[in-house]
Amino acid sequence: MWAGGVGSPRRGPAPAPTDDLFARKLRQPARPPLTPHTFEPRPARGPLLRSGSDAGEARPPTPASPRARAHSHEEASRPTAPPARVFTDPLALLGLPAEEPEPAFPPVPEPRWFAHYDVQSLLFDWAPKPRGTGGHAEAGSGTPALAQDHMASSDLLLEAPGFVSELGGEGELGLGGLVSPPVPPALPNAAVSVLEEPQNRTSAYSLEHADLGAGYYRKYFYGKEHQNFFGLDEVLGPVAVSLRREEKESSGGGTLHSYRIIVRTTQLRTLRGTISEDALPPGPPRGLSPRKLLEHVAPRLSPACLRLGSASPKVPRTLLTLDEQVLSFQRKVGILYCRAGQGSEEEMYNNQEAGPAFMEFLTLLGDVVRLKGFESYRAQLDTKTDSTGTHSLYTTYQDHEIMFHVSTMLPYTPNNQQQLLRKRHIGNDIVTIVFQEPGSKPFCPTTIRSHFQHVFLVVRADEPCTPHTSYRVAVSRTQDTPAFGPALPPGGGPFAANADFRALLLAKALNGEQAAGHARQFHAMATRTRQQYLQDLATNEVTTTSLDSASRFGLPSLGGRRRAPPRGPGAELQAAGALVWGVRAAPGARGAAGAEASGPDGSEVPCLLGISAEALVLVAPRDGRVVFNCACRDVLAWTFSEQQLDLYYGRGEAITLRLDGPPGQAVGEVVARLQLVSRGCETRELALPRDGQGRLGFEVDAEGFVTHVERFTFAEKTGLRPGARLLRVCGQTLPTLGPEAAAQLLRSAPKGCVTVLPPDESGRPRRSFSELYTLSLQEPSRRGAPELVQDEAPKVALLPSTTKQLLQVCLNDGSGPPGPGDLAEERTEFLHSQNSPSPCSSLSDEAPVLPNTTPDLLLVTTAKPAAPSAGREMPPAQDSPGSPSSCEDRGNPTPELRASFLPRTLSLRNSISKIMSEAGSETLEDEWQSISEIASTCNTILESLSREGQPIPESGDARGTPKSDADSSES
């Protein structure tokens, strides 16, 4: 305590001692600075005592201040350099498990509001990380944890170090773990590539790991006005940039401008996409200069290193080769023959002749062709002198040519265990099929000594050469090769010896070779090739015009009319490409209260959310793979809060997205984007109490659609209406629960907490495109007499023959109705109408017209050129079989008949067009009824037209067929 004097806080005599704690506290001097509490270890200095204790510790001289004395031991004992922290979580002091830190939000790729063309562009990194020992980033975690459990040996395949075995039942790696393979029309995650344009699934098995966006330069730049810039960046290395400005007429009469951009570096991912001029800083009417554009789009790229590319025709050809080196439609696959009791490489290579089981398998797989004079893809086989054998196996699948190197068809060298002439071809194939006869030993991939063979498809024949022949399949791939489809069923089969098994095996082989391109060896080879192309362009194909000099002249395609006035806020959300947000995603819906996700794993995965006019994808940037995808036409609804959004899609499944940034900003952008590209809407959360009799007051069917709402109940007061759809019941989605469990919850829960999707404006229930696709497959059974088309694509119902003829009369150029042989393969309208503009688009007049997300389901027929009329059925308006000219008139009606049909045909055509336009505004459920009504009306009109000009039928002839001359004479 101070006694007074200079520097004392008080003047006068020292205060008398007192027991009043409040007075003593007021007399204390100012507090010294407090020492923050940490969990850093202190040097050993005797027993650890509580802070402020007086026992057992050597202390420095007691300072004047009691508060300073209480903390003085911390100041004296603190080391000069802070050591490593021992505790990362205070719960560890109590012996509790440490809390896992929340995953961070992935950074949004630069530039903002850039509409990416494909998935590879979305993963483009301006600062790519070096490849680790685990292989390519895309394959680093391509093997799911559950796949390790299936690496045990089987009678087909042995486990081997450095290889991953797939014995069946693994499924597809998706969000939160393994998921069941998608059903058409949904795409597997590994098959998603292009985002700006529709990517349809046209066969039962999709081709995966293909960079289909590599054709971007050919489609939008090659042969059009654009400019290329090349240079050597200090950080990125050799760089090639292509720029092009596009102009599109808007519906309001203005002009919309956007910039298409390609940035190529030595990494195998390329930045491809579009940015709207409205998302860029204001510029002159003729557009931004190349320098200003690149400063906004590619801020990490040094503009000083770029030079204008030369006008040589070699430049665009080289860019085509550079971009499309990953696209190949010619593949070679090796086939090894393993007899009963064999298992080693030497034994398989030394099989001179093929057995009956092997020949049966080869016949199923492809066609045996004569090599000499063969003009298609030969896969390094000799087609002139027969030095590599006289025959080989060749086939085509999904626009790919496949040549097989069959071990028994390649030249055999006696007394040579290595069989180098055979191994020279099969050993250089990336994918090898190992065919096993019954009784052969399990295959071990380490017995094959090759640097190129990364994927082995082991096929075991059961009961070969019998009517009950079947096959089982197992897969072995290197650890740096990502997983690929199609997924195998549990046990790897059995598969019947039919076309479906052939398609699965060929798709597996093509996908395996494409996936192996991500392995370390092939990735390094492709990177070196790409670097050489870029180095040559930046060194030998440039002019002296720098980017600054080029800006004075402007790009040739940057000129044009005056740009339209800005469309207002949110104009950048109307791009056709994929806009990106950083999210944390989890399977299942959590609801507004943030409950646990309904999926098996509630953990959140950092992802990039990409939403284009066609698709919605979630990409894990750490793994470089798509973990979730769905078409925008499959989006049903969403529930959102300030930082979270629950998205419902397909048949009612859900995912939860948590977004970063200011509250409500990112969520508002995502919701606005979904409103533009989908037909979904916001859900409603209802808490429905029970009445006095314990009823909720509404009824639902097995699909979750509300069929009846009782009057004057709580359900009616809250706004529940017939046609609404239940998406969640008591916090769980309907697909997770199932119909029976959902009904039990509704009967037993004290309060009915449901998430409801309201009906559309006309009161009809909302369905996704996938559900309508399923309905189209079920439609033949409801119509009674279907006509089916055999093809790789899913089967659909065709129109009745009478309706076919009427539509041909209405839609052809006056030619008669063709027979069934003239009709091209028919598909439902939704497989062909993605590019048609939506009649009720929610975009503004100045916005670009996006494709119709949920097209009409009207069936369309397409006429082929007229074929000979033999074997055709006689249309109702033709003469009887006894008439002399019946054979000639069956294929082509008389000119008089066509002339009489023509005015009515035009009128009928306009009527059908009007019905179609009106049906386009109806809900998707009701369009099936519209189709039925149109078909019935067409049959009636056609029957009336066929009777016109004919005599009135006598004696009750309902068909109105005129009598022949012979019949008239008899009467």
Side-chain angles (χ1 to χ4, degrees):
M1 296 295 178
W2 286 286
V6 180
S8 64
R10 299 182 182 88
R11 302 291 182 180
T18 177
D19 293 334
D20 189 353
L21 296 178
F22 181 76
R24 287 167 56 185
K25 186 172 183 64
L26 289 177
R27 295 172 186 173
Q28 289 181 358
R31 296 181 179 180
L34 298 178
T35 303
H37 183 69
T38 63
F39 293 98
E40 297 171 355
R42 304 189 182 97
R45 42 184 169 77
L48 182 61
L49 300 178
R50 188 175 49 186
S51 176
S53 175
D54 295 331
E57 254 187 283
R59 294 182 179 278
T62 304
S65 170
R67 180 70 64 178
R69 184 172 65 250
H71 297 275
S72 60
H73 69 282
E74 296 179 9
E75 296 289 345
S77 63
R78 182 170 292 109
T80 55
R85 297 173 63 91
V86 175
F87 301 109
T88 58
D89 196 311
L91 296 177
L93 290 174
L94 304 177
L96 300 176
E99 184 179 356
E100 292 292 335
E102 288 190 355
F105 289 94
V108 178
E110 297 177 355
R112 194 72 176 99
W113 304 125
F114 186 80
H116 296 268
Y117 180 73
D118 61 346
V119 174
Q120 294 296 321
S121 173
L122 193 145
L123 288 168
F124 180 82
D125 191 359
W126 290 101
K129 301 175 181 58
R131 292 169 55 87
T133 58
H136 193 260
E138 296 177 6
S141 59
T143 304
L146 290 179
Q148 305 294 338
D149 301 336
H150 295 280
M151 291 176 63
S153 303
S154 69
D155 59 338
L156 275 72
L157 182 64
L158 294 178
E159 179 183 354
F163 286 85
V164 178
S165 301
E166 298 180 13
L167 305 181
E170 288 82 7
E172 184 186 27
L173 192 60
L175 183 63
L178 293 176
V179 297
S180 58
V183 296
L187 287 170
N189 289 330
V192 178
S193 179
V194 176
L195 301 177
E196 184 177 324
E197 301 165 359
Q199 187 178 348
N200 296 322
R201 183 172 180 175
T202 57
S203 63
Y205 305 110
S206 301
L207 299 184
E208 302 174 356
H209 298 283
D211 185 11
L212 301 180
Y216 186 67
Y217 181 81
R218 178 184 296 273
K219 186 171 185 178
Y220 295 103
F221 290 81
Y222 189 72
K224 301 177 177 64
E225 284 187 288
H226 69 282
Q227 280 197 347
N228 303 304
F229 295 88
F230 311 122
L232 297 174
D233 190 86
E234 295 181 357
V235 178
L236 301 174
V239 179
V241 180
S242 299
L243 303 176
R244 178 171 176 260
R245 192 190 192 205
E246 283 188 339
E247 293 183 355
K248 292 183 179 180
E249 296 291 336
S250 66
S251 57
T255 304
L256 304 177
H257 296 94
S258 60
Y259 298 90
R260 291 198 178 270
I261 302 167
I262 303 178
V263 178
R264 310 171 186 87
T265 62
T266 53
Q267 62 169 315
L268 296 184
R269 291 167 179 160
T270 303
L271 182 69
R272 312 181 186 103
T274 310
I275 189 166
S276 173
E277 202 167 71
D278 297 295
L280 297 171
R286 294 179 61 84
L288 292 176
S289 65
R291 182 184 181 90
K292 293 294 184 182
L293 178 61
L294 289 179
E295 285 178 352
H296 183 83
V297 175
R300 300 193 186 185
L301 179 62
S302 174
C305 72
L306 295 178
R307 295 292 183 272
L308 182 66
S310 66
S312 169
K314 177 186 174 182
V315 172
R317 290 198 301 266
T318 304
L319 290 176
L320 277 179
T321 306
L322 174 66
D323 289 349
E324 298 179 0
Q325 65 172 333
V326 296
L327 294 180
S328 176
F329 296 94
Q330 296 174 336
R331 301 292 183 182
K332 54 180 183 175
V333 178
I335 302 181
L336 287 175
Y337 176 39
C338 184
R339 289 183 179 272
Q342 295 182 347
S344 66
E345 179 184 27
E346 288 77 11
E347 291 174 333
M348 290 185 284
Y349 273 117
N350 280 274
N351 288 324
Q352 188 172 359
E353 299 294 336
F358 189 40
M359 289 304 301
E360 182 184 28
F361 172 72
L362 296 180
T363 304
L364 174 66
L365 206 58
D367 301 322
V368 177
V369 296
R370 181 72 168 88
L371 285 178
K372 192 170 185 179
F374 187 69
E375 297 181 353
S376 297
Y377 177 57
R378 60 186 182 90
Q380 289 81 48
L381 296 177
D382 184 11
T383 58
K384 296 181 180 179
T385 62
D386 290 341
S387 63
T388 58
T390 59
H391 294 79
S392 188
L393 194 69
Y394 172 85
T395 190
T396 58
Y397 179 71
Q398 292 197 32
D399 298 329
H400 285 72
E401 292 182 278
I402 306 174
M403 176 64 79
F404 296 94
H405 292 151
V406 185
S407 59
T408 57
M409 294 183 178
L410 293 171
Y412 175 77
T413 306
N415 303 322
N416 185 355
Q417 285 292 107
Q418 297 292 328
Q419 294 295 332
L420 296 181
L421 292 181
R422 293 180 171 182
K423 193 171 184 179
R424 165 192 169 191
H425 294 281
I426 300 178
N428 289 323
D429 294 335
I430 299 175
V431 178
T432 304
I433 298 176
V434 180
F435 177 81
Q436 297 177 338
E437 285 186 346
S440 60
K441 297 178 181 178
F443 173 75
C444 184
T446 55
T447 62
I448 304 296
R449 296 177 294 274
S450 172
H451 295 289
F452 281 88
Q453 292 171 290
H454 279 56
V455 177
F456 297 95
L457 306 180
V458 184
V459 180
R460 171 71 65 90
D462 294 329
E463 300 184 49
C465 302
T466 67
H468 308 290
T469 302
S470 62
Y471 300 95
R472 289 180 295 143
V473 181
V475 179
S476 179
R477 54 182 171 86
T478 57
Q479 288 183 341
D480 55 358
T481 300
F484 55 90
L488 299 177
F495 298 97
N498 53 24
D500 183 74
F501 171 68
R502 172 186 176 272
L504 180 140
L505 198 61
L506 294 179
K508 198 75 173 174
L510 294 178
N511 293 340
E513 181 167 350
Q514 197 68 39
H518 300 305
R520 285 192 302 269
Q521 178 181 355
F522 301 112
H523 182 275
M525 294 168 58
T527 302
R528 286 195 300 268
T529 304
R530 184 181 181 89
Q531 187 173 6
Q532 292 173 0
Y533 275 114
L534 292 174
Q535 189 81 26
D536 177 69
L537 290 172
T539 305
N540 304 322
E541 301 298 334
V542 293
T543 63
T544 58
T545 305
S546 65
L547 194 64
D548 294 328
S549 303
S551 62
R552 300 189 197 130
F553 308 105
L555 293 177
S557 58
L558 290 186
R561 288 164 285 182
R562 180 174 297 273
R563 59 183 292 186
R567 287 176 281 170
E572 61 276 357
L573 294 174
Q574 299 169 348
L579 304 179
V580 187
W581 291 266
V583 301
R584 296 204 306 255
R590 301 193 174 188
E596 288 299 323
S598 60
D601 185 7
S603 60
E604 295 180 341
V605 181
C607 296
L608 295 175
L609 169 65
I611 305 177
S612 71
E614 297 292 338
L616 183 148
V617 295
L618 287 173
V619 183
R622 187 178 70 89
D623 303 333
R625 57 182 176 85
V626 178
V627 296
F628 171 81
N629 82 93
C630 78
C632 288
R633 57 196 177 187
D634 271 345
V635 174
L636 287 172
W638 50 82
T639 305
F640 64 92
S641 58
E642 289 185 346
Q643 305 275 187
Q644 180 178 307
L645 184 139
D646 293 341
L647 185 70
Y648 298 90
Y649 65 95
R651 295 164 178 83
E653 300 92 341
I655 58 172
T656 296
L657 306 175
R658 194 180 301 276
L659 293 96
D660 196 12
Q665 177 179 341
V667 171
E669 295 171 352
V670 173
V671 170
R673 178 68 169 167
L674 290 174
Q675 289 174 341
L676 290 174
V677 300
S678 73
R679 281 189 163 181
C681 65
E682 185 180 355
T683 62
R684 296 184 59 188
E685 303 282 344
L686 302 181
L688 305 177
R690 298 184 180 274
D691 58 12
Q693 300 178 358
R695 299 179 304 177
L696 292 175
F698 67 93
E699 299 176 1
V700 296
D701 60 10
E703 295 179 291
F705 293 102
V706 177
T707 58
H708 175 69
V709 179
E710 297 182 7
R711 298 293 305 274
F712 311 112
T713 58
F714 291 108
E716 186 185 34
K717 292 179 181 178
T718 56
L720 191 63
R721 296 290 181 267
R725 180 173 186 170
L726 301 187
L727 298 176
R728 283 200 314 157
V729 176
C730 298
Q732 301 187 58
T733 58
L734 256 65
T736 305
L737 287 172
E740 296 181 0
Q744 182 63 28
L745 268 180
L746 290 174
R747 285 193 296 263
S748 60
K751 181 182 291 188
C753 299
V754 294
T755 300
V756 178
L757 173 60
D760 62 6
E761 295 79 3
S762 57
R764 297 183 177 90
R766 299 176 186 262
R767 292 183 182 270
S768 67
F769 176 80
S770 298
E771 294 173 309
L772 292 171
Y773 184 90
T774 305
L775 286 177
S776 71
L777 299 182
Q778 299 171 352
E779 185 66 15
S781 61
R782 296 192 289 178
R783 293 195 178 187
E787 298 181 31
L788 299 179
V789 173
Q790 299 292 336
D791 190 35
E792 292 179 351
K795 300 178 181 179
V796 295
L798 302 184
L799 292 174
S801 58
T802 312
T803 309
K804 288 181 189 176
Q805 297 168 359
L806 175 63
L807 289 181
Q808 287 294 339
V809 172
C810 298
L811 301 178
N812 271 354
D813 298 330
S815 60
D822 290 332
L823 293 176
E825 181 183 83
E826 299 182 356
R827 291 288 186 267
T828 47
E829 173 77 6
F830 54 76
L831 294 181
H832 292 291
S833 61
Q834 285 90 347
N835 295 327
S836 61
S838 173
C840 49
S841 176
S842 59
L843 305 181
S844 62
D845 292 339
E846 296 295 325
V849 178
L850 297 179
N852 187 2
T853 56
T854 312
D856 297 333
L857 300 178
L858 295 173
L859 299 177
V860 181
T861 54
T862 316
K864 288 182 179 179
S869 59
R872 293 184 181 177
E873 297 180 3
M874 182 179 64
Q878 300 299 325
D879 296 335
S880 63
S883 89
S885 60
S886 60
C887 295
E888 297 146 5
D889 291 342
R890 284 177 188 176
N892 294 309
T894 60
E896 295 80 12
L897 183 59
R898 288 202 305 266
S900 63
F901 269 26
L902 187 56
R904 298 170 180 82
T905 296
L906 296 177
S907 176
L908 179 59
R909 185 176 186 179
N910 296 334
S911 301
I912 293 179
S913 301
K914 183 178 179 181
I915 296 175
M916 288 181 176
S917 62
E918 293 175 354
S921 62
E922 296 177 350
T923 59
L924 305 177
E925 167 96 26
D926 197 56
E927 291 181 356
W928 291 108
Q929 182 65 27
S930 301
I931 296 172
S932 177
E933 294 175 357
I934 292 176
S936 176
T937 305
C938 290
N939 290 334
T940 304
I941 296 176
L942 180 61
E943 186 176 356
S944 301
L945 291 176
S946 64
R947 293 178 180 179
E948 187 170 328
Q950 304 295 337
I952 299 176
E954 299 179 8
S955 65
D957 188 0
R959 300 180 60 182
T961 305
K963 295 183 179 181
S964 62
D965 296 339
D967 296 337
S968 302
S969 61
E970 291 178 2
S971 60

